Amino acid sequence: MSGFNPTLNMKERAQVALNDDFLRNAVKFTTEKLRFGKKNASSELGNWEEWRERARAIRLHTIANLDYYLSEFVKNARAKGTHVHFAATAQEAVEITMKIMAAKEAKSVVKSKSMVSEELHINHALEEEGIETIETDLGEYIIQLAGETPSHIIIPAIHKNKQQVADLFSEAGGETLPPDTKVLAGFARAKLREKFLQADVGMTGCNFAIAETGSMVLFSNEGNARMVSTVPKTQITYMGMERIIPSLDDLEVMATMLPRSATGQKLTVYMSAITGPRRTEDADGPEEMHIIIIDNGRSQQLGDPEFQEVLNCIRCGACLNACPVYRHVGGHAYGWVYSGPIGAVLTPRLNQDMEKWGEVAYASSLCGACYEACPVKIPLHDMLVYIRRQKVEQGYTPAAEKMAFKGFKYVMSDYKRFKRSIKLGKFGQKFIAEDGVITSKIGPLKGWNTYRHAPTVANQSFRDSWEALDNDLHREMAGMDPDIMKRMKEILAKRGKTDHE
Ligand code: SF4
């Protein structure tokens, strides 16, 4: 299941996305809307930078003391009757899930949106065992029917239009539905309600886990997460091991930052804090509750000075909306669960496979817009540079790129060589330049010139202009006081020597 051809590399996947006009327009339209929403919501709040600092401090402190807060959470969750499991890998998390399913003789599952569950490919594993698995978040339901993966952390079906959704729902319902939002939402609502009532198990993700109370917190806009976590008799929650926050006070800060950064809302429509299974005095809730805490590469980031901060991420998606690369190609070009700048860091780091995934770190202009957008100030652009460096150090650089950089170093490390190469460039460009720009798509020029034109080497370089300026200055100096002129000559001689050394 995917939204892309898994045999393609990152460049080829990006090309597929660039050729899809609808996808580009849809992603652009929605990310613009989300960005403006965030801008308004954050300026309305006031002191946004102070809030960012506060949120960052909470995340830094929690991750620096993750062992302590995790054990506090586990102790308090177990005291409230929750079964807590640990999974070192995605495979282990799947095995734990299957044991619970078998013990409950479960035949059907309803799920609310959970990015960590995408890491496990849990839907596929459940379907293989003959267990019906239904996504109940509207966007997730759409992409499940389409047989795809999410293309945005917050808006999984960002790349689909109403007609495409109507086609998918028509096929699922066996009737022709119009591309009308109300009709389509009504169809999904009716279909999903049946499933909520029949399901043996409800599965959720976890936005935050509160150490001091042992509660897990869910943010949602559709109410489906509440249905998933209250109607079925058994609940399974997947939680990345970094989701912890120390206390309810910290939740106040996160509840302020997450919805504003994600969708520009002051608060999501529903926020549920669930502490253990149903008690006798409760009106609803599951009879049995399991939380599976998943590592899957996260602990590898702990203690790494370049990457530990990536665990601070609260999965708001703001960096995707700000990224000029994501906004052109959408999520499927990145090839795994997470996309955009956070995906470009998490994908190689969580998979610990630089050969396969290192190329994803090049899906960035390193402009730093992701850092500016991030509510917890993760320096993603620095991390992307570190990943590129690791890729080179581990020897996964293409031979042509290695040669190109060797040549660049050879030319740039000697002024005379540099000057000669400029002359050569001026001569060579005569054959490929037109009206002051290079339009040729030969060899390495293809990637750049397919979508824009490269400028030609200037007739007069900056150094030539500088030297001409020096000559003008000398002429002016001819009429000056001899002492001043002598001093200026000394300065110029010294500078000229340094320049040309
Ligand atoms: S890196 Fe920052 S902006 Fe991106 S999803 Fe995580 S918290 Fe949000």
Side-chain angles (χ1 to χ4, degrees), residues 320-376:
L320 281 66
N321 306 332
C323 177
V325 176
Y326 179 88
R327 277 158 49 207
H328 277 82
V329 298
H332 290 152
Y334 293 79
W336 195 54
V337 174
Y338 304 100
S339 54
I342 184 64
V345 174
L346 284 177
T347 302
R349 292 297 305 177
L350 293 189
N351 286 295
Q352 294 286 302
D353 184 347
M354 203 53 80
E355 184 178 7
K356 184 173 178 197
W357 293 113
E359 61 170 4
V360 181
Y362 291 81
S364 167
S365 63
L366 302 179
C367 62
C370 47
Y371 170 72
E372 294 302 328
C374 179
V376 289

Side-chain angles (χ1 to χ4, degrees), residues 153 258 261 310 312-320 341-342 370 373-378 380:
I153 293 177
L258 178 58
S261 303
V310 79
N312 294 356
C313 175
I314 58 171
R315 304 286 192 270
C316 70
C319 56
L320 281 66
I342 184 64
C370 47
C374 179
V376 289
K377 301 180 85 170
I378 300 174
L380 293 164

Side-chain angles (χ1 to χ4, degrees), residues 157-232:
I158 194 170
H159 57 294
K160 296 252 177 261
N161 68 7
K162 276 192 272 188
Q163 187 56 58
Q164 288 169 316
V165 176
D167 292 344
L168 286 166
F169 284 10
S170 299
E171 201 185 324
E175 56 178 315
T176 305
L177 295 167
D180 178 277
T181 309
K182 268 194 183 165
V183 174
L184 297 174
F187 169 83
R189 190 185 164 89
K191 270 268 169 219
L192 293 174
R193 192 148 291 253
E194 281 169 30
K195 302 292 177 187
F196 286 125
L197 297 174
Q198 292 161 1
D200 299 312
V201 173
M203 285 184 177
T204 72
C206 165
N207 288 104
F208 298 105
I210 304 173
E212 76 172 0
T213 61
S215 316
M216 52 78 90
V217 180
L218 290 172
F219 291 70
S220 86
N221 278 320
E222 296 167 21
N224 63 312
R226 221 166 244 194
M227 296 287 280
V228 166
S229 58
T230 50
V231 181

Side-chain angles (χ1 to χ4, degrees), residues 16 73 154 166 188 243 253 382 384 424 478:
V16 171
F73 172 75
I154 299 295
R243 301 283 94 205
V253 179
D382 289 340
L384 291 168
L424 202 68

Side-chain angles (χ1 to χ4, degrees), residues 79-375:
K80 295 282 166 23
T82 303
H83 301 273
V84 183
H85 314 258
F86 285 93
T89 61
Q91 185 53 38
E92 270 186 42
V94 172
E95 284 164 13
I96 295 165
T97 306
M98 290 310 172
K99 275 188 194 152
I100 301 168
M101 302 303 286
K104 294 281 131 193
E105 296 179 358
K107 295 277 172 283
S108 61
V109 168
V110 280
K111 271 185 81 206
S112 67
K113 196 167 89 59
S114 156
M115 290 306 286
V116 72
S117 77
E118 299 285 339
E119 292 177 39
L120 320 179
H121 304 294
I122 192 69
N123 292 14
H124 180 68
L126 290 165
E127 298 284 357
E128 288 233 305
E129 292 297 315
I131 299 167
E132 185 190 44
T133 310
I134 302 290
E135 293 285 355
T136 63
D137 171 273
L138 188 54
E140 290 279 351
Y141 182 56
I142 292 167
I143 60 165
Q144 185 182 32
L145 291 178
E148 296 179 8
T149 50
S151 65
H152 190 285
I153 293 177
I154 299 295
I155 321 273
I158 194 170
H159 57 294
K160 296 252 177 261
N161 68 7
K162 276 192 272 188
Q163 187 56 58
Q164 288 169 316
V165 176
D167 292 344
L168 286 166
F169 284 10
S170 299
E171 201 185 324
E175 56 178 315
T176 305
L177 295 167
D180 178 277
T181 309
K182 268 194 183 165
V183 174
L184 297 174
F187 169 83
R189 190 185 164 89
K191 270 268 169 219
L192 293 174
R193 192 148 291 253
E194 281 169 30
K195 302 292 177 187
F196 286 125
L197 297 174
Q198 292 161 1
D200 299 312
V201 173
M203 285 184 177
T204 72
C206 165
N207 288 104
F208 298 105
I210 304 173
E212 76 172 0
T213 61
S215 316
M216 52 78 90
V217 180
L218 290 172
F219 291 70
S220 86
N221 278 320
E222 296 167 21
N224 63 312
R226 221 166 244 194
M227 296 287 280
V228 166
S229 58
T230 50
V231 181
K233 287 187 174 163
T234 305
Q235 184 186 344
I236 299 177
T237 293
Y238 295 112
M239 170 187 149
M241 64 186 279
E242 79 288 11
R243 301 283 94 205
I244 294 276
I245 49 173
S247 66
L248 274 168
D249 288 346
D250 301 310
L251 181 64
E252 186 200 333
V253 179
M254 295 306 157
T256 301
M257 301 305 277
L258 178 58
R260 282 180 168 83
S261 303
T263 51
Q265 290 168 284
K266 284 181 193 164
L267 204 58
T268 46
V269 179
Y270 300 92
M271 186 175 86
S272 313
I274 302 166
T275 314
R278 172 187 197 156
R279 291 156 299 187
T280 36
E281 66 270 27
D282 288 341
D284 55 28
E287 290 168 8
E288 196 171 303
M289 184 169 170
H290 297 261
I291 294 185
I292 305 178
I293 300 177
I294 297 163
D295 181 335
N296 205 29
R298 287 161 174 80
S299 56
Q300 298 291 321
Q301 319 313 316
L302 283 172
D304 187 321
E306 327 296 13
F307 292 105
Q308 180 163 308
E309 268 195 68
V310 79
L311 299 177
N312 294 356
C313 175
I314 58 171
R315 304 286 192 270
C316 70
C319 56
L320 281 66
N321 306 332
C323 177
V325 176
Y326 179 88
R327 277 158 49 207
H328 277 82
V329 298
H332 290 152
Y334 293 79
W336 195 54
V337 174
Y338 304 100
S339 54
I342 184 64
V345 174
L346 284 177
T347 302
R349 292 297 305 177
L350 293 189
N351 286 295
Q352 294 286 302
D353 184 347
M354 203 53 80
E355 184 178 7
K356 184 173 178 197
W357 293 113
E359 61 170 4
V360 181
Y362 291 81
S364 167
S365 63
L366 302 179
C367 62
C370 47
Y371 170 72
E372 294 302 328
C374 179

